[in-house]
Amino acid sequence: MGSTVLSLRIDGELLDRLREHAAKRGMSVQDYVVRTLIRDDFDERFKTAVDETEKFYGLT
């Protein structure tokens, strides 16, 4: 899988908070943001799969 550049403009206070969170985990801000997005994407896909499974089996 290749990579692509994504440029963001964010508030200074948010960047400071992201730096703090990343530092606590020994990560760069970039790595922290990417892992957070990956985790959020996984959560959404997992929820969709559960919803579809429940719909298939008539559990909802």
Side-chain angles (χ1 to χ4, degrees), residues 4-55:
T4 302
V5 173
L6 172 64
S7 177
L8 299 172
R9 184 182 309 259
I10 62 172
D11 180 78
E13 290 178 27
L14 174 58
L15 181 57
D16 290 340
R17 289 195 310 272
L18 290 172
R19 283 184 178 134
E20 289 175 18
H21 291 301
K24 287 178 187 176
R25 292 160 180 80
M27 304 169 75
S28 68
V29 172
Q30 178 180 336
D31 288 342
Y32 176 78
V33 170
V34 168
R35 285 183 184 240
T36 301
L37 291 171
I38 289 169
R39 184 178 60 240
D40 186 60
D41 179 61
F42 172 81
D43 292 346
E44 285 185 30
R45 288 183 293 127
F46 184 77
K47 182 183 181 323
T48 299
V50 169
D51 292 346
E52 290 295 318
T53 300
E54 288 177 348
K55 190 164 82 174

